[in-house]
Amino acid sequence: MNTSDNIVNINLKEYFWSLLEQWKCVIAAGLVFAVLVPVALSLKDSRARNNELATFKELASMSREEMLDTLNKDEREMVLSNVYRDQLLKNQSSYNDNSIFAGMDSDKFVVLHYSFVADGDSAQICSAYAAALRDSDTIAIVRKNLSDTYKDADEGYIRELIMVSGEGCVDLMIIMPEGTNEAVLASGIEARIEEIHTQIEEALGKHTITYIVSEKQELAYDELAADLVTRTHELSLIKDKYDATYYSMNDAQRNVLWMLISSPEEINAYVSQSPSTNIEFSKGRIAIGFVVGIFLYAFIYLVYIVFSSVVQNPELFVETFKTRSFGKVSSYRYKGLSALIHGKVFYKMHHKGSMDDAAITNVAESVIASCEHNGLNKVGIILAGNMKDYSAQCEKVIKKLNGSKMEVVKLDGELNDDNISKLDCAVILVGSGKTKYGNVSEALRICDYYKKNVIGGIYFD
């Protein structure tokens, strides 16, 4: 750690400004990881997929019972229960996709309604009518008059539109989906009833039929609507049970389940695939990589600041050594496009108040005022560590100090008895990224040994 009490206080404002000043490095880190992360994720996915492919190839070589034998009793029962539910779901899904009735609006049904009674042995006769009115000939009449959308529907889905009862009287209702040729359908059904009448008379004797209802009706038929709602609800319950069981399964169970519920064509298509070697550079993965790179760079830089042996900013310097800062002097040598190329735009924004000769004058006047206030006449200017990069600014500060009444001694290099013992006080000059905490500690230790007061420091950036 950088501090004497093993605590480092980080100024977040200074930290983020420092990151902005390094924007080129930050973006470079983001771009590098925008490539590395998609590659790493693709390799991970490829490895997982190849392992999965090998597993399915092994399962494909087994019989149904051999696949189930790879599981224990409880796992086996869970898989078999979901195989059953999957078949129910597929059947119901197929019904929902193909049924004319299931696709209709349950709030209102348009029906062609016939109701009639027959004299004679009416119970037997009505039963005969009810059976005949749901046969293939009636279905053919209904199919012929449906819209082209339903011309190829299975017979069972058309039979579902025909509801007939023969209890007490013959009650026939034909549900008519949109696009049905209603007039021709009515004519065909009436002709069909007459045809059945002739056939039943031959078998059961003469009788007459009397119509009670013969019309098109629009009605919200509760039993029909309830049937649709019930089927939808039951499908939802099966789906929920399937999902609950599926998500409680382990990978081995899911692999076996997929093998049991998939068609041979699906299985063959999957296991015949070549091992995956593709690298996916999707927008999402590139974005994730870019963000990861930025955050990783920021984290590494934070760790570097915490554990670095080099002074990085004046706030941390002041906090570490509990000494006064006379101010900061910043160096800025770039303008216009050159500033952008060298990444110094944010630097100038951040250090604007500490640039040029005005900043040098301010820190020099602060040192002079402090010495005059405390009656100190001979001040040592200690250049801590390697200050070559800041030599020009240091010389300007010393020149300003020499213009005062007090005596200024420049101490560049190792401190010794002769040059330190004659001083009244000392000021330490610290360079950002150049002066080590050890350099400052050593200078403070020597000054303390000779009981020379270190009245503060000047930070160069």
Side-chain angles (χ1 to χ4, degrees):
M1 293 288 184
N2 299 331
T3 64
S4 56
D5 55 3
N6 289 332
I7 297 176
V8 176
N9 293 322
I10 301 296
N11 187 314
L12 290 180
K13 179 182 176 182
E14 293 293 325
Y15 168 71
F16 285 118
W17 269 111
S18 184
L19 280 177
L20 287 175
E21 290 166 19
Q22 302 173 69
W23 64 269
K24 292 193 295 187
C25 294
V26 173
I27 291 178
L31 293 175
V32 168
F33 277 85
V35 175
L36 293 181
V37 167
V39 170
L41 291 177
S42 296
L43 291 176
K44 179 184 176 182
D45 292 346
S46 179
R47 181 177 180 181
R49 182 174 177 80
N50 291 339
N51 290 339
E52 183 182 70
L53 191 59
T55 300
F56 280 116
K57 285 182 178 180
E58 182 179 356
L59 289 174
S61 65
M62 301 179 183
S63 65
R64 176 189 176 92
E65 287 304 316
E66 287 174 335
M67 283 189 283
L68 291 171
D69 285 342
T70 62
L71 308 173
N72 62 39
K73 182 180 178 181
D74 292 337
E75 292 174 339
R76 179 187 180 112
E77 289 179 358
M78 289 176 65
V79 169
L80 289 175
S81 66
N82 259 20
V83 170
Y84 173 70
R85 292 190 187 106
D86 178 78
Q87 191 57 52
L88 291 179
L89 290 170
K90 286 179 178 177
N91 291 342
Q92 187 64 45
S93 178
S94 176
Y95 171 78
N96 289 346
D97 291 340
N98 297 289
S99 170
I100 303 170
F101 174 63
M104 295 182 67
D105 183 1
S106 61
D107 292 334
K108 183 172 68 175
F109 293 94
V110 180
V111 299
L112 184 62
H113 188 190
Y114 291 95
S115 184
F116 56 89
V117 294
D119 57 5
D121 187 359
S122 59
Q124 184 180 14
I125 291 174
C126 287
S127 178
Y129 273 103
L133 284 171
R134 283 179 61 83
D135 67 7
S136 57
D137 290 335
T138 306
I139 290 172
I141 294 171
V142 175
R143 182 196 295 275
K144 182 179 179 180
N145 292 284
L146 295 179
S147 67
D148 292 341
T149 306
Y150 309 116
K151 290 295 186 183
D152 298 325
D154 289 342
E155 184 174 296
Y157 297 131
I158 296 178
R159 190 187 300 276
E160 192 177 28
L161 303 176
I162 303 170
M163 297 175 293
V164 61
S165 171
E167 298 180 1
C169 69
V170 180
D171 196 60
L172 170 66
M173 282 197 293
I174 300 173
I175 303 173
M176 295 186 293
E178 185 177 356
T180 301
N181 191 332
E182 299 168 5
V184 178
L185 176 61
S187 176
I189 291 299
E190 290 168 8
R192 177 62 182 151
I193 292 173
E194 290 298 324
E195 182 182 351
I196 295 172
H197 182 195
T198 301
Q199 294 171 352
I200 293 177
E201 278 191 330
E202 292 177 357
L204 300 178
K206 291 284 185 177
H207 63 276
T208 57
I209 59 175
T210 304
Y211 283 95
I212 302 171
V213 178
S214 175
E215 63 182 5
K216 168 189 171 183
Q217 296 177 347
E218 293 185 4
L219 69 161
Y221 198 72
D222 292 342
E223 291 183 10
L224 293 178
D227 183 39
L228 283 178
V229 171
T230 299
R231 293 188 188 192
T232 303
H233 179 66
E234 289 175 350
L235 179 63
S236 177
L237 290 178
I238 295 171
K239 183 70 167 60
D240 290 343
K241 290 180 180 178
Y242 179 94
D243 289 341
T245 304
Y246 181 83
Y247 288 114
S248 65
M249 289 179 176
N250 56 40
D251 290 341
Q253 287 175 283
R254 292 174 185 174
N255 292 341
V256 172
L257 174 64
W258 187 83
M259 293 294 294
L260 294 178
I261 66 177
S262 300
S263 66
E265 292 77 16
E266 289 175 321
I267 295 172
N268 289 334
Y270 186 82
V271 299
S272 62
Q273 295 180 53
S274 301
S276 175
T277 56
N278 295 330
I279 295 177
E280 180 186 346
F281 284 99
S282 64
K283 292 181 180 178
R285 290 188 172 186
I286 291 173
I288 291 172
F290 188 77
V291 172
V292 167
I294 291 174
F295 275 95
L296 186 60
Y297 183 90
F299 175 74
I300 292 173
Y301 183 61
L302 179 64
V303 172
Y304 168 72
I305 290 176
V306 172
F307 293 98
S308 175
S309 62
V310 179
V311 179
Q312 298 293 330
N313 60 65
E315 287 77 10
L316 194 55
F317 163 70
V318 170
E319 182 67 28
T320 301
F321 297 107
K322 311 300 181 189
T323 186
R324 175 188 175 183
S325 172
F326 286 113
K328 179 170 65 173
V329 177
S330 300
S331 175
Y332 188 80
R333 301 183 298 273
Y334 305 98
K335 295 181 180 179
L337 182 61
S338 179
L340 181 64
I341 294 173
H342 288 84
K344 297 297 182 179
V345 174
F346 292 109
Y347 180 91
K348 184 176 182 180
M349 292 169 60
H350 183 206
H351 301 284
K352 187 175 182 180
S354 60
M355 292 179 185
D356 302 326
D357 292 339
I360 294 173
T361 301
N362 289 337
V363 297
E365 289 177 350
S366 296
V367 173
I368 294 169
S370 179
C371 290
E372 290 178 348
H373 177 75
N374 293 285
L376 305 172
N377 297 315
K378 192 170 185 178
V379 60
I381 304 299
I382 303 174
L383 278 65
N386 179 13
M387 297 290 288
K388 289 182 180 179
D389 290 349
Y390 305 105
S391 58
Q393 294 109 307
C394 292
E395 291 300 328
K396 287 183 179 181
V397 170
I398 293 172
K399 184 178 180 181
K400 287 285 184 181
L401 293 175
N402 279 326
S404 65
K405 297 178 181 179
M406 63 185 184
E407 182 181 351
V408 179
V409 178
K410 177 183 176 183
L411 302 176
D412 188 3
E414 295 184 2
L415 304 180
N416 54 57
D417 295 345
D418 290 337
N419 57 30
I420 200 74
S421 61
K422 298 175 183 178
L423 301 176
D424 293 335
C425 64
V427 174
I428 298 179
L429 274 56
V430 177
S432 173
K434 298 297 180 181
T435 299
K436 295 182 178 180
Y437 283 92
N439 300 141
V440 182
S441 296
E442 179 65 15
L444 291 174
R445 185 186 65 79
I446 294 174
C447 289
D448 183 61
Y449 177 79
Y450 285 101
K451 294 182 173 54
K452 301 302 177 181
N453 183 29
V454 178
I455 60 174
I458 302 173
Y459 186 81
F460 293 86
D461 193 3

